[in-house]
Amino acid sequence: MNAFVHHHQHAIAFAYRCFDRILLNASIRALYFPGSIVSFLRDRRGAKALTPAYFRAISSDYHTWLQEEVGRQGLTLAEPPPEVRRHEWVEPYYRQLGDRPGVAVILKCREGARVAVSYPKQGNHIELVWRFVNLYYFYLQDDQLGRFFLRLCPYFPFPAQVCLNGHEWLARQLRAQGIAFRKDDNALLACDDPARLQELADAFGPGHIRAAVEPWLARWLPYFTERERAQGYRHGLFVGQVEYCDNLVFHREAALDRLFGRLLDANRAVGTPARLAVVFGRSRFRPDARTARTEVKVTRLKTTMLRTGFGQTSLKQYVKERVLLRTETTCNQLQDLSLPKEVQNLPRLREVLGGSNDRYLEAQQDVLASYVDRGQLQQLRQPTVSASGRRTPGLRLDDPRLLAVLQALTAFAHLVAKGCFRTADLLPDVQRFLGKPAYKLSQLRYDLAKLRGKGLLERLRGTQRYRLGAEGYRLAVLYQKLYHRLYTPLTAAILEPVAADNLIAGSRKAKLDRLYEAVDKALRRLSEGVGVSAA
């Protein structure tokens, strides 16, 4: 149980984590290159000339076959209107299908796909290129996977996509085991056996997906014979997009509303970094303003969410169905995580994304609840003497260099990742936060030595990497909160007050400005009471 869940467990009814949306690209590896396509069609299918007409005949045969199947089985083949949300548009067809497995509806769409193209002027030279073609979306209901769709291109070599949802599989398993639950869209809002729910979620893997998807592919793509499939001419599944979510279901809507309001407010300030530096252990990643950012975003469906992202990977946190707080990592490119794309890597992917969600929640709790260290503050300001007699200066709260280092260290990058970094990874952020490009690596090592001397930062044995400990992180957040939220604005109000502010009626001032004024007045009265008033 991470610190966030532990701290708020009195308000949480139950929690679970699982894969949510998974988009798989399906392709035949044995036909991945033009040379292998030529070999297959000539040697196995006896094609004499691979002309454009030959490839058109393959796709035309499929279109004709599908039309006949639709008529024979009484299915619906439709072209959806443009600009519609397809999963909503097909909902009436799913309701008509009920709980029965089968095809709810088939949609015909014109989209891009990577297909084989013959160039007659180059001697029928074959290339795999992107073309806009007519392809089909099969909206299916499976005994095990529940609802999912299969996107099938009828042009050789028949690229495909599969889109499924882990919540659909979980609902089928719970129902089969007689466990009562309540599901709304892609969220489980109640469950009689949360422990079993989590066991099932952890068991979901590539075997379940392949066992369900392969029969549907064979059913709706009859081009290959059983013998050819056995010889390797079958679709492999590769992760194109994956979402893994932590779900906290609260007892009361009001409690979650107040909590998420605090998270939105806290993450507009020091607790949230503007960019990422080292993400998911990718030490060589160099972010910039285009690829790495943290933002409060309102989606098209009017859902407010916190989003921290880099490249094609993002962490999102938002409220769903009024009582569920979801923390979700989404990856559109597994290369960001140094993981292969094959579907059999889902168990490892679960570990990586689950750890990311955990560290994000830990970071959020540290932002929400930082406490002043009453007994050690003076000790932190004192020099540290190592076992070898080396003397390292103490930590000063108002040291700009220290604050810049702390601001770089508390970026969520080191929390949602493996939690480690090299000094060279940290240097650009410190230079930026400090506003001094001339700040050197030797100076950064000196400043980090102060944190190491206090036991707040540790060096990983046998490496050039460092890790900020839990106490170090909490102290860093506290120092920044005090400096940026209290010392800096109050000092500005005392030394350079804005005269025009006094002309604004108190009722029209922002709540934060009124609170700062109250603190300033209280400090003046305290100063007078203890005899240190400047007046």
Side-chain angles (χ1 to χ4, degrees):
M1 183 184 298
N2 61 56
F4 188 95
V5 177
H6 179 76
H7 188 82
H8 301 283
Q9 60 182 321
H10 65 283
I12 297 173
F14 76 100
Y16 72 98
R17 54 175 53 187
C18 67
F19 282 110
D20 192 37
R21 185 175 185 268
I22 301 176
L23 180 65
L24 302 170
N25 295 317
S27 59
I28 303 172
R29 277 194 163 180
L31 298 174
Y32 202 72
F33 299 101
S36 57
I37 290 175
V38 172
S39 176
F40 173 82
L41 293 176
R42 286 181 176 172
D43 298 343
R44 294 179 177 271
R45 293 302 175 95
K48 295 181 180 180
L50 300 181
T51 63
Y54 180 87
F55 285 102
R56 281 197 300 270
I58 293 176
S59 57
S60 296
D61 288 347
Y62 184 86
H63 289 300
T64 301
W65 173 84
L66 183 61
Q67 290 282 357
E68 293 173 352
E69 283 294 296
V70 166
R72 187 176 65 82
Q73 297 187 37
L75 301 175
T76 300
L77 175 61
E79 295 189 32
E83 305 301 326
V84 300
R85 295 174 63 85
R86 290 179 187 167
H87 74 278
E88 295 176 354
W89 195 79
V90 302
E91 182 61 31
Y93 296 99
Y94 271 118
R95 287 200 296 266
Q96 185 178 356
L97 185 62
D99 292 331
R100 293 174 289 116
V103 179
V105 64
I106 304 172
L107 302 185
K108 183 178 181 180
C109 305
R110 190 167 181 80
E111 296 179 0
R114 188 169 178 263
V115 300
V117 174
S118 174
Y119 294 90
K121 294 182 179 180
Q122 301 178 31
N124 292 326
H125 174 69
I126 305 300
E127 288 288 349
L128 286 167
V129 297
W130 285 92
R131 290 286 189 268
F132 272 88
V133 295
N134 290 322
L135 45 76
Y136 300 98
Y137 281 80
F138 295 82
Y139 282 83
L140 309 168
Q141 186 154 264
D142 183 75
D143 279 331
Q144 298 299 314
L145 279 187
R147 295 182 180 185
F148 75 99
F149 74 68
L150 168 63
R151 175 186 183 265
L152 190 57
C153 175
Y155 293 80
F156 203 87
F158 310 109
Q161 280 186 336
V162 177
C163 185
L164 57 97
N165 195 295
H167 282 90
E168 285 286 317
W169 184 86
L170 275 174
R172 291 271 167 170
Q173 305 310 306
L174 291 172
R175 192 173 293 115
Q177 297 188 17
I179 300 173
F181 66 94
R182 179 164 64 92
K183 179 176 175 289
D184 196 333
D185 191 25
N186 62 333
L188 296 169
L189 304 180
C191 181
D192 283 357
D193 192 346
R196 182 55 182 160
L197 164 62
Q198 190 58 60
E199 289 176 0
L200 290 169
D202 292 340
F204 179 61
H208 301 101
I209 295 174
R210 281 195 293 259
V213 170
E214 288 181 357
W216 288 107
L217 273 168
R219 169 69 184 87
W220 292 105
L221 182 59
Y223 180 84
F224 298 98
T225 66
E226 285 297 324
R227 183 178 179 182
E228 287 170 342
R229 294 181 190 277
Q231 293 172 339
Y233 294 98
R234 61 196 309 159
H235 286 79
L237 301 177
F238 307 90
V239 178
Q241 182 190 73
V242 61
E243 298 173 352
Y244 191 78
C245 58
D246 268 61
N247 304 279
L248 304 177
V249 181
F250 282 67
H251 290 292
R252 295 188 301 114
E253 176 183 342
L256 177 54
D257 187 59
R258 288 194 298 269
L259 173 61
F260 193 61
R262 290 176 61 202
L263 287 172
L264 289 175
D265 181 64
N267 282 279
R268 290 188 179 100
V270 174
T272 301
R275 299 171 186 169
L276 302 174
V278 183
V279 184
F280 295 99
R282 301 285 289 173
S283 59
R284 296 182 181 179
F285 174 68
R286 293 292 182 269
D288 57 42
R290 295 167 299 169
T291 62
R293 58 200 175 278
T294 295
E295 60 187 348
V296 177
K297 181 180 178 181
V298 179
T299 69
R300 198 171 91 176
L301 298 179
K302 310 303 181 186
T303 300
T304 304
M305 68 168 57
L306 286 168
R307 185 183 184 279
T308 300
F310 81 100
Q312 297 187 60
T313 300
S314 65
L315 269 161
K316 296 179 290 186
Q317 194 171 61
Y318 57 96
V319 173
K320 188 173 180 66
E321 306 302 332
R322 300 184 299 278
V323 294
L324 185 146
L325 178 65
R326 174 164 290 175
T327 303
E328 180 176 85
T329 304
T330 301
C331 182
N332 296 317
Q333 177 55 267
L334 264 63
Q335 186 177 358
D336 289 347
L337 312 181
S338 299
L339 289 176
K341 295 183 179 181
E342 286 81 359
V343 72
Q344 59 261 34
N345 291 291
L346 277 184
R348 174 59 181 150
L349 191 57
R350 177 190 287 110
E351 294 177 10
V352 173
L353 301 185
S356 163
N357 290 341
D358 267 337
R359 285 185 286 270
Y360 192 89
L361 286 168
E362 293 271 6
Q364 291 289 48
Q365 184 55 33
D366 284 336
V367 169
L368 287 175
S370 294
Y371 299 92
V372 176
D373 188 336
R374 302 179 188 276
Q376 301 297 321
L377 183 59
Q378 185 61 30
Q379 182 179 344
L380 290 173
R381 295 179 63 88
Q382 299 301 317
T384 301
V385 180
S386 68
S388 62
R390 181 177 180 180
R391 184 178 182 277
T392 304
L395 305 177
R396 291 189 298 109
L397 175 61
D398 58 347
D399 182 0
R401 279 171 46 170
L402 173 64
L403 290 165
V405 171
L406 294 178
Q407 189 169 354
L409 283 172
T410 52
F412 278 153
H414 309 301
L415 302 162
V416 304
K418 295 179 180 178
C420 56
F421 63 92
R422 300 178 304 174
T423 51
D425 299 325
L426 204 64
L427 182 62
D429 281 342
V430 180
Q431 291 172 333
R432 184 174 65 255
F433 295 141
L434 192 59
K436 293 183 179 179
Y439 179 80
K440 299 178 181 178
L441 194 61
S442 58
Q443 293 174 295
L444 175 58
R445 292 194 178 102
Y446 176 78
D447 291 332
L448 291 175
K450 298 179 184 179
L451 296 173
R452 288 184 66 192
K454 299 301 180 183
L456 304 176
L457 188 72
E458 63 175 332
R459 180 174 174 176
L460 302 183
R461 182 175 298 179
T463 73
Q464 296 295 322
R465 298 179 183 277
Y466 296 86
R467 177 185 289 125
L468 183 66
E471 290 183 359
Y473 177 77
R474 289 194 292 270
L475 192 68
V477 172
L478 170 66
Y479 270 33
Q480 291 177 79
K481 283 182 176 180
L482 289 174
Y483 185 83
H484 291 289
R485 297 185 182 183
L486 291 179
Y487 297 161
T488 300
L490 288 174
T491 301
I494 292 172
L495 298 181
E496 294 187 13
V498 180
D501 288 349
N502 295 325
L503 302 178
I504 302 176
S507 60
R508 297 184 59 191
K509 291 182 180 179
K511 179 181 178 180
L512 196 58
D513 289 336
R514 296 198 301 270
L515 291 174
Y516 278 131
E517 287 182 357
V519 171
D520 186 39
K521 291 177 182 178
L523 287 175
R524 289 182 184 178
R525 290 196 298 270
L526 178 62
S527 300
E528 293 171 357
V530 298
V532 295
S533 175

